[in-house]
Coordinates of all heavy atoms in Angstrom, one line a residue:
V1 N 11.6 5.3 -3.8 CA 12.9 5.8 -3.7 C 13.8 5.0 -4.6 O 14.7 5.5 -5.3 CB 13.4 5.6 -2.2 CG1 14.9 5.8 -2.1 CG2 12.7 6.5 -1.3
A2 N 13.6 3.7 -4.7 CA 14.4 2.8 -5.6 C 14.2 3.2 -7.0 O 15.1 3.2 -7.8 CB 14.1 1.3 -5.3
A3 N 12.9 3.4 -7.4 CA 12.7 3.8 -8.8 C 13.3 5.1 -9.1 O 13.8 5.3 -10.2 CB 11.1 3.8 -9.0
G4 N 13.3 6.0 -8.2 CA 13.9 7.3 -8.4 C 15.4 7.2 -8.6 O 16.0 7.9 -9.5
R5 N 16.0 6.3 -7.9 CA 17.5 6.1 -8.0 C 17.8 5.4 -9.3 O 18.9 5.6 -9.8 CB 18.0 5.3 -6.9 CG 18.0 6.0 -5.6 CD 18.7 5.2 -4.5 NE 18.7 6.0 -3.2 CZ 19.3 5.6 -2.1 NH1 19.9 4.5 -2.1 NH2 19.2 6.4 -1.1
A6 N 16.8 4.7 -9.9 CA 17.1 4.0 -11.1 C 16.8 4.9 -12.3 O 16.9 4.5 -13.5 CB 16.2 2.8 -11.2
G7 N 16.4 6.2 -12.0 CA 16.2 7.2 -13.1 C 14.8 7.2 -13.7 O 14.5 7.7 -14.7
V8 N 13.8 6.5 -12.9 CA 12.4 6.5 -13.4 C 11.8 7.9 -13.1 O 12.0 8.5 -12.1 CB 11.7 5.4 -12.7 CG1 10.2 5.4 -13.1 CG2 12.3 4.0 -12.9
G9 N 11.0 8.3 -14.0 CA 10.3 9.6 -13.9 C 9.2 9.6 -12.8 O 8.9 8.5 -12.2
P10 N 8.6 10.7 -12.5 CA 7.6 10.8 -11.4 C 6.4 9.9 -11.7 O 5.9 9.3 -10.7 CB 7.2 12.3 -11.5 CG 8.3 13.0 -12.1 CD 9.0 12.1 -13.1
A11 N 5.9 9.8 -12.9 CA 4.8 9.0 -13.1 C 5.1 7.5 -12.9 O 4.3 6.8 -12.3 CB 4.3 9.1 -14.6
G12 N 6.3 7.1 -13.2 CA 6.7 5.7 -13.0 C 6.9 5.4 -11.5 O 6.6 4.3 -11.0
R13 N 7.4 6.4 -10.8 CA 7.7 6.2 -9.4 C 6.3 6.1 -8.7 O 6.2 5.2 -7.8 CB 8.5 7.4 -8.8 CG 9.9 7.4 -9.3 CD 10.7 8.3 -8.5 NE 10.2 9.7 -8.4 CZ 10.7 10.7 -9.2 NH1 11.6 10.5 -10.1 NH2 10.2 11.9 -9.0
L14 N 5.3 6.9 -9.0 CA 4.0 6.8 -8.4 C 3.4 5.5 -8.7 O 2.8 4.8 -7.9 CB 3.1 8.0 -8.9 CG 1.7 8.0 -8.3 CD1 1.8 8.2 -6.8 CD2 0.9 9.1 -9.0
R15 N 3.5 5.0 -10.0 CA 2.9 3.8 -10.4 C 3.6 2.6 -9.6 O 2.9 1.7 -9.1 CB 3.1 3.6 -11.9 CG 2.2 2.5 -12.5 CD 2.2 2.5 -14.0 NE 3.5 2.8 -14.6 CZ 3.8 4.0 -15.2 NH1 2.9 4.9 -15.3 NH2 4.9 4.2 -15.8
A16 N 4.9 2.7 -9.4 CA 5.6 1.6 -8.7 C 5.1 1.6 -7.2 O 4.9 0.6 -6.6 CB 7.1 1.8 -8.7
G17 N 4.9 2.8 -6.6 CA 4.5 2.9 -5.3 C 3.1 2.4 -5.1 O 2.8 1.7 -4.1
T18 N 2.2 2.7 -6.0 CA 0.8 2.2 -5.9 C 0.7 0.7 -6.0 O -0.1 0.1 -5.4 CB -0.1 2.9 -6.9 OG1 0.3 2.7 -8.2 CG2 -0.2 4.4 -6.6
V19 N 1.5 0.1 -6.9 CA 1.5 -1.3 -7.1 C 1.9 -2.1 -5.8 O 1.5 -3.1 -5.5 CB 2.4 -1.7 -8.2 CG1 2.6 -3.2 -8.3 CG2 1.8 -1.3 -9.5
L20 N 2.8 -1.4 -5.0 CA 3.3 -2.0 -3.8 C 2.3 -1.9 -2.6 O 2.6 -2.4 -1.5 CB 4.7 -1.5 -3.4 CG 5.8 -1.9 -4.4 CD1 7.1 -1.1 -4.0 CD2 6.0 -3.3 -4.4
I21 N 1.2 -1.2 -2.7 CA 0.3 -0.9 -1.6 C -0.3 -2.3 -1.1 O -0.4 -2.5 0.1 CB -0.8 0.0 -2.0 CG1 -0.3 1.4 -2.2 CG2 -2.0 0.0 -1.0 CD1 -1.3 2.4 -2.7
A22 N -0.6 -3.1 -2.0 CA -1.4 -4.3 -1.6 C -0.5 -5.5 -1.2 O -0.7 -6.6 -1.5 CB -2.3 -4.8 -2.8
R23 N 0.5 -5.2 -0.4 CA 1.4 -6.3 0.1 C 1.1 -6.5 1.6 O 1.7 -5.8 2.4 CB 2.9 -5.9 -0.1 CG 3.2 -5.7 -1.5 CD 3.1 -7.0 -2.3 NE 3.4 -6.8 -3.7 CZ 2.5 -6.9 -4.7 NH1 1.3 -7.2 -4.5 NH2 2.9 -6.7 -6.0
G24 N 0.2 -7.4 1.9 CA -0.2 -7.6 3.3 C 0.5 -8.7 4.0 O 0.2 -8.9 5.2
E25 N 1.4 -9.3 3.4 CA 2.1 -10.5 4.0 C 2.8 -10.0 5.3 O 2.8 -10.8 6.3 CB 3.1 -11.1 3.1 CG 2.5 -11.7 1.8 CD 2.3 -10.8 0.7 OE1 2.6 -9.6 0.8 OE2 1.7 -11.2 -0.3
F26 N 3.3 -8.8 5.3 CA 4.0 -8.4 6.5 C 3.1 -8.2 7.6 O 3.4 -8.5 8.8 CB 4.7 -7.0 6.1 CG 5.6 -6.5 7.3 CD1 6.7 -7.1 7.6 CD2 5.2 -5.4 8.0 CE1 7.5 -6.7 8.7 CE2 5.9 -4.9 9.1 CZ 7.1 -5.6 9.4
S27 N 1.9 -7.7 7.4 CA 0.9 -7.5 8.4 C 0.5 -8.9 9.0 O 0.3 -9.0 10.2 CB -0.4 -6.9 7.9 OG 0.0 -5.6 7.4
I28 N 0.4 -9.9 8.2 CA 0.1 -11.2 8.7 C 1.2 -11.8 9.6 O 0.9 -12.4 10.6 CB -0.2 -12.2 7.5 CG1 -1.5 -11.7 6.8 CG2 -0.4 -13.6 8.0 CD1 -1.7 -12.4 5.5
V29 N 2.4 -11.5 9.2 CA 3.5 -12.0 10.0 C 3.5 -11.3 11.4 O 3.7 -11.9 12.4 CB 4.9 -11.7 9.3 CG1 6.1 -12.0 10.2 CG2 5.0 -12.6 8.1
I30 N 3.3 -9.9 11.4 CA 3.3 -9.2 12.6 C 2.1 -9.7 13.5 O 2.3 -9.8 14.7 CB 3.1 -7.7 12.3 CG1 4.4 -7.2 11.6 CG2 2.9 -6.9 13.6 CD1 5.7 -7.3 12.4
A31 N 1.0 -9.9 12.9 CA -0.2 -10.4 13.7 C 0.1 -11.8 14.3 O -0.3 -12.1 15.4 CB -1.4 -10.5 12.8
S32 N 0.8 -12.6 13.5 CA 1.1 -14.0 14.1 C 2.1 -13.9 15.2 O 2.0 -14.6 16.2 CB 1.6 -14.9 13.0 OG 2.8 -14.5 12.5
L33 N 3.0 -12.9 15.1 CA 4.0 -12.7 16.2 C 3.3 -12.2 17.5 O 3.7 -12.5 18.6 CB 5.1 -11.8 15.8 CG 6.1 -12.3 14.7 CD1 7.1 -11.3 14.3 CD2 6.8 -13.5 15.3
G34 N 2.3 -11.3 17.2 CA 1.7 -10.7 18.4 C 0.5 -11.5 18.9 O -0.2 -11.0 19.9
A35 N 0.2 -12.6 18.4 CA -0.9 -13.4 18.8 C -0.8 -13.9 20.3 O -1.8 -14.1 21.0 CB -1.1 -14.7 17.9
G36 N 0.4 -14.0 20.8 CA 0.6 -14.4 22.2 C 0.5 -13.2 23.2 O 0.5 -13.4 24.4
L37 N 0.3 -12.0 22.7 CA 0.1 -10.9 23.6 C -1.3 -10.9 24.2 O -2.2 -11.5 23.7 CB 0.4 -9.6 22.8 CG 1.7 -9.3 22.2 CD1 1.8 -8.1 21.3 CD2 2.8 -9.2 23.3
P38 N -1.5 -10.1 25.3 CA -2.8 -10.1 25.9 C -3.9 -9.6 24.9 O -5.0 -10.1 25.0 CB -2.6 -9.1 27.0 CG -1.2 -9.1 27.4 CD -0.5 -9.4 26.1
D39 N -3.6 -8.7 24.0 CA -4.6 -8.2 23.1 C -4.4 -8.9 21.7 O -4.7 -8.3 20.7 CB -4.5 -6.7 22.9 CG -5.1 -6.0 24.2 OD1 -5.9 -6.6 24.8 OD2 -4.7 -4.9 24.4
G40 N -3.8 -10.1 21.7 CA -3.5 -10.7 20.4 C -4.6 -11.0 19.5 O -4.5 -10.9 18.3
D41 N -5.8 -11.3 20.1 CA -7.0 -11.5 19.3 C -7.4 -10.2 18.5 O -7.7 -10.3 17.3 CB -8.2 -12.0 20.1 CG -7.9 -13.3 20.7 OD1 -7.1 -14.1 20.2 OD2 -8.6 -13.6 21.8
H42 N -7.3 -9.1 19.2 CA -7.6 -7.8 18.5 C -6.6 -7.5 17.4 O -7.0 -6.9 16.4 CB -7.7 -6.7 19.5 CG -8.8 -6.9 20.6 ND1 -10.1 -7.0 20.2 CD2 -8.7 -7.1 21.9 CE1 -10.8 -7.2 21.3 NE2 -10.0 -7.3 22.4
L43 N -5.4 -7.8 17.7 CA -4.3 -7.5 16.7 C -4.5 -8.3 15.4 O -4.4 -7.8 14.3 CB -2.9 -7.8 17.3 CG -1.7 -7.6 16.4 CD1 -1.6 -6.1 16.1 CD2 -0.5 -8.1 17.0
G44 N -5.0 -9.6 15.6 CA -5.2 -10.4 14.4 C -6.4 -9.8 13.6 O -6.4 -9.8 12.3
A45 N -7.4 -9.3 14.3 CA -8.6 -8.7 13.6 C -8.2 -7.5 12.8 O -8.6 -7.2 11.7 CB -9.7 -8.5 14.5
V46 N -7.4 -6.6 13.5 CA -6.9 -5.4 12.9 C -6.0 -5.7 11.7 O -6.2 -5.1 10.6 CB -6.2 -4.5 13.9 CG1 -5.5 -3.3 13.2 CG2 -7.1 -4.0 14.9
A47 N -5.2 -6.7 11.8 CA -4.3 -7.0 10.7 C -5.1 -7.6 9.5 O -4.8 -7.2 8.3 CB -3.3 -8.0 11.1
A48 N -6.1 -8.4 9.8 CA -7.0 -8.9 8.7 C -7.7 -7.8 8.0 O -7.8 -7.8 6.8 CB -8.0 -9.9 9.3
A49 N -8.2 -6.8 8.8 CA -8.9 -5.7 8.2 C -8.0 -4.9 7.3 O -8.3 -4.4 6.2 CB -9.6 -4.8 9.2
F50 N -6.8 -4.7 7.8 CA -5.7 -3.9 7.1 C -5.4 -4.6 5.8 O -5.3 -3.9 4.7 CB -4.5 -3.7 7.9 CG -3.4 -2.9 7.3 CD1 -3.6 -1.5 7.2 CD2 -2.3 -3.5 6.8 CE1 -2.6 -0.8 6.6 CE2 -1.3 -2.7 6.2 CZ -1.5 -1.4 6.1
V51 N -5.2 -5.9 5.8 CA -4.9 -6.6 4.6 C -6.0 -6.5 3.6 O -5.8 -6.3 2.4 CB -4.5 -8.1 4.9 CG1 -4.5 -9.0 3.7 CG2 -3.2 -8.2 5.7
L52 N -7.2 -6.7 4.1 CA -8.4 -6.6 3.2 C -8.5 -5.2 2.6 O -8.7 -5.0 1.4 CB -9.7 -6.9 3.9 CG -11.0 -6.8 3.2 CD1 -11.0 -7.8 2.0 CD2 -12.2 -7.1 4.1
L53 N -8.3 -4.2 3.4 CA -8.4 -2.8 2.9 C -7.3 -2.5 1.8 O -7.6 -2.0 0.8 CB -8.2 -1.8 4.0 CG -8.3 -0.3 3.7 CD1 -9.7 0.1 3.2 CD2 -7.9 0.5 4.8
T54 N -6.1 -2.9 2.1 CA -5.0 -2.7 1.1 C -5.2 -3.5 -0.1 O -4.7 -3.1 -1.2 CB -3.6 -2.9 1.7 OG1 -3.5 -4.2 2.2 CG2 -3.3 -1.9 2.8
A55 N -5.8 -4.7 0.0 CA -6.0 -5.5 -1.2 C -7.0 -4.9 -2.1 O -7.0 -5.1 -3.3 CB -6.5 -6.9 -0.7
I56 N -7.9 -4.1 -1.6 CA -8.9 -3.4 -2.4 C -8.3 -2.0 -2.9 O -8.4 -1.7 -4.1 CB -10.2 -3.1 -1.6 CG1 -10.9 -4.4 -1.3 CG2 -11.1 -2.2 -2.3 CD1 -12.0 -4.3 -0.3
V57 N -7.7 -1.3 -2.0 CA -7.2 0.1 -2.4 C -6.0 0.0 -3.3 O -5.9 0.8 -4.2 CB -6.8 0.8 -1.1 CG1 -6.1 2.1 -1.4 CG2 -8.0 1.2 -0.3
G58 N -5.1 -1.0 -3.1 CA -3.9 -1.1 -3.9 C -4.1 -1.2 -5.4 O -3.6 -0.3 -6.2
P59 N -4.9 -2.1 -5.9 CA -5.2 -2.2 -7.4 C -5.9 -0.9 -7.9 O -5.7 -0.5 -9.0 CB -6.0 -3.4 -7.5 CG -5.7 -4.3 -6.4 CD -5.4 -3.3 -5.2
L60 N -6.8 -0.4 -7.1 CA -7.5 0.8 -7.5 C -6.5 2.0 -7.6 O -6.6 2.8 -8.6 CB -8.6 1.2 -6.6 CG -9.8 0.2 -6.6 CD1 -10.8 0.6 -5.5 CD2 -10.5 0.2 -7.9
A61 N -5.6 2.1 -6.7 CA -4.7 3.2 -6.7 C -3.7 3.0 -7.9 O -3.4 4.0 -8.6 CB -3.8 3.3 -5.4
A62 N -3.3 1.8 -8.2 CA -2.5 1.6 -9.4 C -3.2 1.9 -10.7 O -2.7 2.5 -11.6 CB -2.0 0.1 -9.4
R63 N -4.5 1.6 -10.7 CA -5.3 1.9 -11.9 C -5.5 3.4 -12.2 O -5.4 3.8 -13.3 CB -6.7 1.2 -11.8 CG -7.7 1.6 -12.8 CD -7.4 1.2 -14.2 NE -8.4 1.6 -15.2 CZ -8.4 2.8 -15.8 NH1 -7.4 3.7 -15.6 NH2 -9.3 3.1 -16.7
F64 N -5.6 4.1 -11.1 CA -5.9 5.5 -11.2 C -4.7 6.4 -10.9 O -4.8 7.5 -10.5 CB -7.1 5.9 -10.3 CG -8.4 5.3 -10.8 CD1 -9.0 4.3 -10.0 CD2 -9.0 5.7 -11.9 CE1 -10.1 3.7 -10.4 CE2 -10.2 5.1 -12.3 CZ -10.8 4.1 -11.6
S65 N -3.5 5.8 -11.0 CA -2.3 6.6 -10.6 C -2.1 7.8 -11.5 O -1.6 8.8 -10.9 CB -1.0 5.7 -10.7 OG -0.8 5.2 -12.0
P66 N -2.5 7.9 -12.7 CA -2.3 9.2 -13.4 C -3.2 10.3 -12.8 O -2.8 11.4 -12.7 CB -2.8 8.8 -14.9 CG -2.6 7.4 -15.0 CD -2.8 6.8 -13.7
S67 N -4.4 9.9 -12.4 CA -5.3 10.9 -11.7 C -4.7 11.3 -10.3 O -4.8 12.4 -9.9 CB -6.7 10.3 -11.5 OG -7.3 10.0 -12.7
L68 N -4.1 10.3 -9.6 CA -3.5 10.6 -8.3 C -2.3 11.5 -8.5 O -2.1 12.4 -7.7 CB -3.0 9.3 -7.7 CG -4.1 8.3 -7.2 CD1 -3.4 7.1 -6.7 CD2 -4.9 9.0 -6.1
R69 N -1.6 11.4 -9.6 CA -0.4 12.3 -9.8 C -0.9 13.7 -10.0 O -0.3 14.7 -9.5 CB 0.3 11.8 -11.1 CG 1.5 12.7 -11.3 CD 2.4 12.1 -12.4 NE 3.6 12.9 -12.5 CZ 3.9 13.5 -13.7 NH1 3.3 13.2 -14.8 NH2 5.0 14.3 -13.8
R70 N -2.0 13.9 -10.7 CA -2.6 15.3 -10.9 C -3.0 15.9 -9.6 O -2.9 17.0 -9.4 CB -3.7 15.2 -11.9 CG -3.2 15.1 -13.4 CD -4.3 15.3 -14.4 NE -5.4 14.4 -14.2 CZ -5.5 13.3 -14.9 NH1 -4.6 12.9 -15.8 NH2 -6.6 12.5 -14.8
I71 N -3.6 15.0 -8.7 CA -4.1 15.5 -7.4 C -2.9 15.8 -6.5 O -2.9 16.8 -5.8 CB -5.0 14.4 -6.8 CG1 -6.3 14.3 -7.6 CG2 -5.3 14.8 -5.3 CD1 -7.1 13.1 -7.1
A72 N -1.8 15.0 -6.6 CA -0.7 15.1 -5.7 C 0.1 16.4 -6.0 O 0.7 17.0 -5.2 CB 0.2 13.9 -5.7
S73 N 0.3 16.6 -7.3 CA 1.1 17.8 -7.7 C 0.3 18.6 -8.8 O 0.5 18.3 -10.0 CB 2.4 17.3 -8.2 OG 2.3 16.4 -9.3
P74 N -0.6 19.5 -8.4 CA -1.4 20.2 -9.4 C -0.6 21.0 -10.4 O -1.1 21.3 -11.5 CB -2.3 21.1 -8.5 CG -2.1 20.7 -7.1 CD -0.9 19.8 -7.0
A75 N 0.6 21.4 -10.1 CA 1.4 22.2 -11.0 C 2.0 21.4 -12.1 O 2.5 21.9 -13.1 CB 2.6 22.9 -10.2
A76 N 2.0 20.0 -12.0 CA 2.6 19.1 -13.0 C 1.7 18.9 -14.2 O 0.6 19.1 -14.2 CB 3.0 17.8 -12.4

């Protein structure tokens, strides 16, 4: 959304979005806040798996963003 408001084209907006996928710090904060809950141990494990998954998927999505653009909008 921010890139679109700045006048960036569709390819640049997709590239900016894919670069932001691998930001797991927020998940770690949420897991630490929820550690005191009855299912806190499970929440930490889910957050760790989510961070690991996004750490792998994020760079790959950024690398292949031109291909993703063709898949997302076949008419483009």
